[in-house]
Amino acid sequence: METEYFKNKILPLKQKLFKKALYITQSQADAEDIVQEVMMRMWANRKEWPKINNIESFCSSLVRNLSIDRIKQVGFQNESIDQFTDIKSLGEIPIENLIRTDERMWVLSVISSLPEKQRNIILLREIEEMSYRDIAQELSISEAQVKVILFRARQTIKEIYQKISRYGL
């Protein structure tokens, strides 16, 4: 029964957890190690699963904490997250792909320049596709605060991106 629960509820979270660890650590090797550590800890503490209200949030918190610990241990490394994400071909015309890649680069740059709380909420909502309730629970704030911060972050991204697209740099 425990193995089925692990296979069906915890293992499918690996990709989301990897993305979060990769974003925080900026290192593919560290992100893989962290996700593996989370999986091992979850299996080792399988007797505690019934006490956990939301497994996904719990695992996500573990990833965040382990990632922060890893950064403190080895120091921050500046690898680009772009090299680990897939850029899908959006058409046969190479210039369209170049434009889309360039736009994506600018949006990621703008997101990385946001204040930490806004950046974290944008990533949790848009990349990890977490609900407002889960984000609020993970960050220990109200759902209303999550919505306000998310709105402000989106507005900031929109304003900066519009300036960039109108005026260049």
Side-chain angles (χ1 to χ4, degrees):
M1 185 66 175
E2 291 172 343
T3 55
E4 287 301 315
Y5 184 84
F6 188 79
K7 286 179 188 176
N8 295 329
K9 296 290 182 182
I10 298 172
L11 279 181
L13 300 174
K14 283 176 72 170
Q15 187 63 31
K16 278 186 177 182
L17 298 176
F18 175 77
K19 285 180 185 178
K20 183 172 190 161
L22 179 62
Y23 176 76
I24 295 171
T25 64
Q26 298 290 304
S27 167
Q28 185 175 15
D30 287 342
E32 290 170 352
D33 290 346
I34 288 166
V35 171
Q36 185 66 31
E37 177 69 22
V38 168
M39 293 297 146
M40 290 176 10
R41 285 186 184 192
M42 290 303 294
W43 182 252
N45 294 319
R46 59 189 172 272
K47 302 263 188 267
E48 304 297 319
W49 291 347
K51 297 176 185 174
I52 300 171
N53 292 334
N54 187 335
I55 291 288
E56 185 174 345
S57 289
F58 184 80
C59 289
S60 186
S61 295
L62 271 175
V63 165
R64 184 183 68 233
N65 294 336
L66 290 172
S67 297
I68 291 169
D69 289 346
R70 180 68 53 100
I71 289 171
K72 289 178 183 174
Q73 287 175 355
V74 297
F76 186 71
Q77 300 171 1
N78 287 327
E79 293 179 29
S80 174
I81 197 166
D82 291 333
Q83 67 187 2
F84 305 115
T85 56
D86 294 329
I87 299 173
K88 304 282 188 238
S89 176
L90 299 171
E92 295 183 18
I93 303 171
I95 193 70
E96 287 179 8
N97 290 334
L98 182 62
I99 291 169
R100 298 245 190 252
T101 302
D102 192 43
E103 288 174 344
R104 185 174 174 278
M105 180 195 69
W106 282 111
V107 170
L108 288 173
S109 172
V110 170
I111 289 172
S112 67
S113 71
L114 290 173
E116 183 179 357
K117 192 168 257 185
Q118 287 182 359
R119 183 176 58 242
N120 288 339
I121 290 176
I122 277 282
L123 291 171
L124 291 173
R125 180 68 181 168
E126 302 301 334
I127 296 187
E128 294 188 25
E129 300 174 352
M130 291 177 69
S131 68
Y132 294 118
R133 182 184 341 204
D134 291 341
I135 295 170
Q137 188 177 19
E138 184 167 327
L139 299 177
S140 302
I141 58 176
S142 70
E143 283 185 55
Q145 286 177 306
V146 169
K147 290 176 183 178
V148 168
I149 293 169
L150 185 60
F151 174 78
R152 289 181 182 158
R154 286 176 176 158
Q155 284 298 107
T156 303
I157 292 168
K158 179 182 172 184
E159 290 168 6
I160 294 172
Y161 184 73
Q162 284 176 340
K163 285 180 186 176
I164 290 169
S165 64
R166 269 193 232 126
Y167 304 113
L169 298 174

